[in-house]
Amino acid sequence: MTQLVSKNFSIDTNSDLLFDILRNKIYSDPVTSIIKEIISNARDAHREIDLNQPIDVNINENFFCVRDYGTGISLDRMENIFLKYLATTKKGDDKQTGGFGLGAKTPFAYT
């Protein structure tokens, strides 16, 4: 009888390929995905602090702006969440959208 052994997946050292997939190939419609993700994250900034106020969205053919009234992104959150793929503050939070640590990085799919 064959003994079963548990193994973990890992990522090879070719991180350039992984970043290329996450930035350039993950979305079939990057512009729409970016708009949805930024609006969702703004709404989540309100949900995180239980703020019952609408976010501001302004869009025209040359301009897209979203403003929330949350607490902002601290330096710690910028370094340890926003700039790291798969890092998230939303795990286990059923009020916020997402939780995979990918959505905030969608603008990189376009730039």
Side-chain angles (χ1 to χ4, degrees):
M1 177 180 242
T2 303
Q3 182 178 359
L4 297 178
V5 177
S6 175
K7 297 288 183 177
N8 292 322
F9 280 93
S10 64
I11 297 174
D12 195 25
T13 57
N14 188 355
S15 60
D16 290 343
L17 175 61
L18 180 60
F19 281 117
D20 182 53
I21 291 168
L22 290 172
R23 286 184 180 156
N24 303 321
K25 296 183 173 86
I26 195 168
Y27 302 104
S28 60
D29 184 356
V31 173
T32 300
S33 297
I34 291 165
I35 291 168
K36 287 178 181 179
E37 291 292 348
I38 291 173
I39 289 171
S40 291
N41 284 345
R43 183 187 62 201
D44 286 345
H46 287 201
R47 289 177 174 178
E48 184 175 13
I49 60 171
D50 293 320
L51 179 62
N52 188 19
Q53 176 178 344
I55 61 171
D56 298 332
V57 179
N58 295 297
I59 190 168
N60 65 40
E61 97 182 30
N62 298 312
F63 183 80
F64 171 67
C65 180
V66 177
R67 180 177 182 194
D68 66 65
Y69 298 89
T71 59
I73 301 175
S74 67
L75 180 59
D76 179 66
R77 187 174 279 195
M78 178 62 73
E79 291 176 350
N80 295 302
I81 303 297
F82 189 79
L83 294 176
K84 290 185 180 180
Y85 281 94
L86 306 181
T88 182
T89 60
K90 299 177 184 181
K91 283 187 181 150
D93 187 332
D94 61 354
K95 290 192 276 183
Q96 297 185 62
T97 303
F100 300 107
L102 295 173
K105 289 75 171 177
T106 56
F108 297 112
Y110 186 75
T111 59

